[in-house]
Amino acid sequence: MNLNIIKIISVFVFVFVFCILISTKSYAENDVFLSLSSGGARAGIGLTEFVPKNALLEEINLSKDFRDALESDLILSRHFNVVTADTSYKFDLEKQFSYWTSKKISALITGTISVEKTETLLVTVKVYDIESKQIIWEEKYRDKKNKYRYIAHKINNEIVKRFTGEDGIACSKIAFINNSTKFKEIYVVDYDGYNLRRYTKDNNLNILPKWIPYSSMIMYTSYLYNNPDLFILDILKNKRKAVSTIQGLNSPACFSPDKKTIIATLSRGGYPNLFLLDEKGAVIRRLTEGRHIDTSPNFSPSGKEIAFISDRAGYPQIYIMDIDGVNLRRLSTKGNCDSPVWSPKGDKIAFTMRDNGKFDIFLYDLPKKRIIRLTENSGNNENPSWSQDGRFITFSSTRTGKSAIYIIGIDGTGTRKLIDMSGESYTPSWSQNL
């Protein structure tokens, strides 16, 4: 929920706003060296064409498309300096090790592709250690041939895991709101901007989607029944259910990491305060009360603390409290704040703050008690959401004149637009790997 919504709520009690790189397909070599990293040295990694087993046109095209998707994933991970070389299908790997050695890479990714009779795509991937010339990892992947990008995402994640010890994020998705239909509907897209899909067709107001941890489900607020109610949408089953339909405001909300409880802002005919609900939407207890607005709750990764926004100081600020409603404290910030979200490691909180008349994305470093600015002089930037690995943030921005979804590294570099589409897009939420 942005600060304009908070203002509207404060006046009308609970009325809401109605409210990259792609490789060059030539037969010359392409070296893709990435710019600043968000931490740590980048490993040099080589990537060849995936050889079609039957040399059929379909397999040849899939081979190139698959390699492009995998290269894009490796680049977007920002863990690697990627070196590519387009070669013939009779590529003699042994004779080429000296070439790859000269490119200062530590590993080489190659493999084969074939389409089986059942329209199933079979991808065999091999990763060679350049120094020893030995295979250090080999695996087979099968899926529908139109899901070749998903196979590439899975391979990327495995490579990231083997190089860094951490999970990759290529199988994650981003949910957001778009108004291209003249209504606000929920859309979901892959982390790289592909496979866009619309999930609601209500011709109504749907807002504030939030992924339920480690699931295919999204919680959001909808005016479907002429009241701001909480719903849960399962994108795999394409089914939804109402969770909280208490008269008045039911939003925004956040599931606990163990998925057993929900924190939501409920007005119940009074001031919007925080309530703890069970997974079915029944109220367990009230967490805050008073003649002020408490909103935008977010669980810490441990599930023991909550960050939220309150105007109890006279203007919206970030507060933290224990899950039982005690040990309340305020983070020291200078401007109107909104949308606090805890990092996966729990050491930072990303949030929106208004500075010099504009909204920007900031990080609050909890151990060091300092604020880090991520965006500046680029329109209004709001509603941050973390990637699973804690290395990237997605957010909405008006930097091109209309609101769209962007991704940025937590060092403030590598900003990219997620997707080009008509209308305006808001309030992104980043899933874990699906």
Side-chain angles (χ1 to χ4, degrees):
M1 179 183 296
N2 62 36
L3 295 172
N4 290 329
I5 294 176
I6 293 178
K7 289 181 179 179
I8 293 173
I9 295 174
S10 65
V11 176
F12 298 104
V13 182
F14 62 87
V15 180
F16 252 61
V17 285
F18 287 93
C19 334
I20 82 187
L21 297 171
I22 299 175
S23 62
T24 304
K25 294 186 178 181
S26 65
Y27 289 95
E29 69 174 50
N30 295 306
D31 291 3
V32 184
F33 292 98
L34 307 183
S35 58
L36 296 174
S37 171
S38 56
R42 295 188 178 185
I45 197 164
L47 180 63
T48 72
E49 295 283 3
F50 277 62
V51 179
K53 277 197 169 182
N54 303 303
L56 301 174
L57 181 59
E58 180 181 39
E59 290 185 0
I60 292 171
N61 290 335
L62 276 170
S63 171
K64 292 183 179 295
D65 291 342
F66 176 83
R67 204 285 303 270
D68 288 347
L70 180 55
E71 181 183 3
S72 176
D73 284 341
L74 293 168
I75 290 169
L76 291 177
S77 78
R78 301 181 71 184
H79 284 301
F80 307 104
N81 288 329
V82 183
V83 182
T84 69
D86 294 322
T87 60
S88 71
Y89 299 131
K90 295 181 179 181
F91 180 74
D92 188 335
L93 188 64
E94 181 64 29
K95 293 181 180 179
Q96 293 295 328
F97 271 113
S98 59
Y99 165 79
W100 293 110
T101 300
S102 71
K103 290 299 178 180
K104 299 181 179 180
I105 65 171
S106 58
L108 174 65
I109 305 168
T110 186
T112 60
I113 273 185
S114 63
V115 178
E116 300 178 334
K117 292 181 180 179
T118 57
E119 296 295 292
T120 298
L121 181 65
L122 171 62
V123 177
T124 300
V125 60
K126 298 179 181 180
V127 178
Y128 287 84
D129 174 71
I130 292 299
E131 184 176 355
S132 68
K133 302 180 183 179
Q134 299 297 312
I135 295 175
I136 56 178
W137 176 58
E138 181 176 4
E139 190 62 78
K140 291 183 179 180
Y141 293 83
R142 281 184 173 88
D143 211 325
K144 295 178 181 178
K145 64 183 182 180
N146 64 350
K147 297 186 70 175
Y148 71 91
R149 297 190 69 87
Y150 183 66
I151 296 177
H153 295 338
K154 292 174 70 175
I155 291 172
N156 169 83
N157 284 356
E158 183 63 30
I159 291 171
V160 168
K161 183 76 170 181
R162 288 174 177 271
F163 269 79
T164 70
E166 298 181 356
D167 292 328
I169 61 171
C171 293
S172 63
K173 297 179 181 293
I174 294 173
F176 61 96
I177 299 298
N178 180 271
N179 65 359
S180 58
T181 65
K182 308 304 180 184
F183 299 94
K184 290 189 175 181
E185 307 284 6
I186 296 176
Y187 292 76
V188 175
V189 68
D190 290 354
Y191 92 114
D192 58 358
Y194 284 80
N195 296 322
L196 176 69
R197 183 173 175 182
R198 175 181 165 190
Y199 277 93
T200 59
K201 298 180 180 179
D202 298 332
N203 294 336
N204 210 312
L205 179 63
N206 301 297
I207 55 175
L208 302 168
K210 296 285 181 64
W211 289 97
I212 297 175
Y214 296 98
S215 78
S216 61
M217 294 182 286
I218 299 167
M219 185 163 53
Y220 65 102
T221 295
S222 176
Y223 282 78
L224 184 64
Y225 302 140
N226 299 315
N227 187 69
D229 299 321
L230 279 181
F231 285 82
I232 291 178
L233 167 70
D234 189 323
I235 68 167
L236 290 186
K237 298 178 181 179
N238 202 17
K239 293 182 179 180
R240 67 178 169 187
K241 62 180 179 179
V243 178
S244 179
T245 58
I246 297 171
Q247 186 61 35
L249 181 64
N250 296 269
S251 179
C254 178
F255 255 90
S256 60
D258 64 6
K259 296 184 282 190
K260 293 181 178 180
T261 55
I262 304 168
I263 293 182
T265 297
L266 307 179
S267 63
R268 305 210 300 187
Y271 280 82
N273 287 160
L274 299 182
F275 290 77
L276 187 67
L277 317 178
D278 66 20
E279 70 273 19
K280 295 181 180 179
V283 173
I284 298 173
R285 64 175 175 270
R286 184 171 191 151
L287 296 178
T288 65
E289 56 184 313
R291 299 172 64 85
H292 45 72
I293 299 165
D294 299 326
T295 186
S296 299
N298 185 257
F299 274 99
S300 68
S302 69
K304 296 179 180 180
E305 295 179 299
I306 309 159
F308 65 100
I309 295 295
S310 178
D311 68 350
R312 61 187 64 202
Y315 60 107
Q317 289 287 282
I318 303 171
Y319 290 81
I320 296 175
M321 70 178 177
D322 295 348
I323 186 61
D324 54 5
V326 300
N327 194 23
L328 179 70
R329 63 267 194 204
R330 172 182 164 186
L331 298 187
S332 179
T333 56
K334 63 179 181 179
N336 290 356
C337 298
D338 189 31
S339 308
V341 282
W342 237 296
S343 68
K345 293 181 179 179
D347 61 334
K348 296 179 178 65
I349 291 177
F351 64 100
T352 298
M353 184 168 68
R354 187 170 63 186
D355 186 40
N356 296 323
K358 295 288 186 180
F359 295 103
D360 277 303
I361 306 299
F362 295 81
L363 302 179
Y364 193 98
D365 188 316
L366 292 167
K368 297 180 180 178
K369 296 182 179 180
R370 67 186 181 100
I371 295 175
I372 304 165
R373 187 177 198 131
L374 290 189
T375 64
E376 189 172 12
N377 300 323
S378 53
N380 286 309
N381 303 277
E382 302 178 78
N383 303 113
S385 178
W386 292 87
S387 61
Q388 178 179 338
D389 61 359
R391 299 175 64 242
F392 303 92
I393 286 172
T394 184
F395 62 100
S396 63
S397 177
T398 60
R399 61 190 58 202
T400 60
K402 69 174 187 176
S403 185
I405 308 302
Y406 290 80
I407 291 174
I408 190 173
I410 63 167
D411 61 355
T413 69
T415 304
R416 64 180 173 93
K417 181 186 282 190
L418 178 63
I419 188 172
D420 283 308
M421 61 184 298
S422 59
E424 300 200 56
S425 299
Y426 314 89
T427 57
S429 178
W430 205 329
S431 78
Q432 286 91 9
N433 286 321
L434 297 180

